[in-house]
Amino acid sequence: MLSGKGKVAAIIGWPVAHSLSPALHTFWLNYYNIDGAYIPMPVKPEELGEVIRILPKLGIRGFNLTLPHKELVIPFLDYMDEDAKAIGAVNTVLIANDGTIQGMNTDAYGFIRNIQPHIDGKKNKAVVLGAGGAAKAICYGLIKEGYNEILLLNRTQEKAEEMASHFGAHVHVLPWEQRARALDWADLLVNATSLGMEGKEPLDINLDMLPKHAVVTDIVYTPLQTPLLKDAKGRGYLVVDGLGMLIHQAVPGFRAWFGMKPEVMPELRPHLLKALG
Ligand code: ATR
């Protein structure tokens, strides 16, 4: 249902055609019979500022940002929440009734909500592979969640060191070559690299040292069962795929734009898998 009073939100990306967010938000809009719409907006990076200045004048409630806009958007915001400031990136924006443009980051929240039911209070040590934007949100989320020690490993070690310098004593960097050994005593292994994605090589890591109680999770969700998750599952580890992070990170935005907190119901996953093709 969409009337003249309908609330409209969007996703801005370049490209944006691959995004699952329209399928996700439209599912909730239909489920709750909300008068609203969520639309994809392909916007070139050099035109982002121009577009954002126009959106409040169109009555748009807010938007999500995907690559390459999550950092580029910052100069055009009036306000950023604590998580967005700490992560240095914004994925969700609310245009308030007074026209102010308010940036949030819900990636850390989405990551933690996705793994929370599975981690069972064991938060001593996490191993995070990768040092891009996703890894930064994940490290921030893990610190906030109370992990005592986070080992960060990235092919380009300097990027991991630069990231760790923002997070203080909880995060330690090791050389990429030591990834198998780093798993000793870990409660959680996170792949935050793009390895394992369709068309990319798999993540090459030997899981022999990983304790049996550990949880293994991947931010890659195309395919849903990455080679890492397949290997881990075959060895008896509890695995959590990356689709749940995408679903959970969308909850605060939907709530801010459309006025109700949507449930992460079981029907969502098959719906999104169908949208993924
Ligand atoms: P995002 O911001 O979404 O996390 P990104 O910045 O492109 O994406 O990060 C991709 C991650 O995958 C990086 O940590 C990258 O390592 P580098 O910093 O060394 O580039 C990692 N990555 C990509 N291809 C890789 C490969 N073949 N081997 C190891 N790591 C790889």
Side-chain angles (χ1 to χ4, degrees):
M1 179 182 68
L2 185 61
S3 79
K5 295 181 197 152
K7 296 171 181 169
V8 179
I11 176 151
I12 299 180
W14 187 260
V16 78
H18 65 282
S19 174
L20 275 185
S21 293
L24 172 54
H25 286 279
T26 304
F27 178 92
W28 280 327
L29 287 168
N30 290 337
Y31 187 90
Y32 294 113
N33 206 15
I34 290 173
D35 187 8
Y38 181 97
I39 55 176
M41 292 183 175
V43 175
K44 290 182 187 149
E46 61 272 23
E47 290 172 356
L48 183 65
E50 194 183 332
V51 167
I52 288 177
R53 273 188 291 274
I54 296 286
L55 292 179
K57 299 175 190 169
L58 295 172
I60 301 283
R61 307 280 304 179
F63 49 91
N64 283 125
L65 294 144
T66 184
L67 289 175
H69 296 315
K70 288 184 179 187
E71 293 169 22
L72 296 175
V73 72
I74 292 173
F76 309 111
L77 303 172
D78 296 310
Y79 163 88
M80 272 164 83
D81 75 3
E82 193 195 324
D83 288 7
K85 280 187 200 154
I87 297 164
V90 168
N91 72 332
T92 304
V93 170
L94 172 68
I95 300 173
N97 290 335
D98 63 2
T100 55
I101 304 179
Q102 308 186 353
M104 307 179 252
N105 190 306
T106 67
D107 285 331
Y109 165 89
F111 175 77
I112 294 296
R113 287 306 299 261
N114 190 36
I115 62 164
Q116 224 165 24
H118 311 288
I119 52 185
D120 198 20
K122 295 185 198 77
K123 298 180 196 168
N124 195 38
K125 179 176 154 185
V127 175
V128 177
L129 305 176
K136 197 166 179 192
I138 287 167
C139 279
Y140 173 76
L142 291 172
I143 293 168
K144 217 172 152 184
E145 183 62 16
Y147 275 80
N148 292 324
E149 187 187 10
I150 297 157
L151 292 186
L152 186 62
L153 300 93
N154 192 50
R155 176 181 59 178
T156 313
Q157 192 169 332
E158 302 80 66
K159 274 172 72 183
E161 277 159 6
E162 211 279 317
M163 207 177 105
S165 69
H166 292 280
F167 290 128
H170 289 288
V171 182
H172 303 277
V173 175
L174 286 178
W176 181 244
E177 294 68 35
Q178 288 184 21
R179 57 196 181 281
R181 252 193 291 160
L183 301 178
D184 201 12
W185 297 100
D187 304 304
L188 176 70
L189 167 62
V190 185
N191 175 38
T193 74
S194 48
L195 293 170
M197 199 182 275
E198 263 157 27
K200 282 224 160 200
E201 48 193 292
L203 169 66
D204 175 22
I205 187 166
N206 184 329
L207 300 179
D208 286 352
M209 299 285 271
L210 188 66
K212 285 296 162 220
H213 75 272
V215 173
V216 180
T217 187
D218 205 320
I219 61 157
V220 173
Y221 57 81
T222 51
L224 208 51
Q225 291 299 312
T226 59
L228 168 68
L229 295 187
K230 267 191 196 150
D231 180 17
K233 203 170 180 176
R235 290 165 176 257
Y237 294 105
L238 205 157
V239 304
V240 182
D241 69 56
L243 192 59
M245 177 178 174
L246 174 88
I247 299 173
H248 283 284
Q249 65 77 34
V251 169
F254 189 94
R255 182 186 194 171
W257 307 318
F258 300 115
M260 68 160 304
K261 185 177 179 185
E263 199 190 322
V264 176
M265 57 281 277
E267 304 95 298
L268 259 176
R269 287 177 71 89
H271 176 76
L272 293 178
L273 290 176
K274 208 168 135 199
L276 266 176

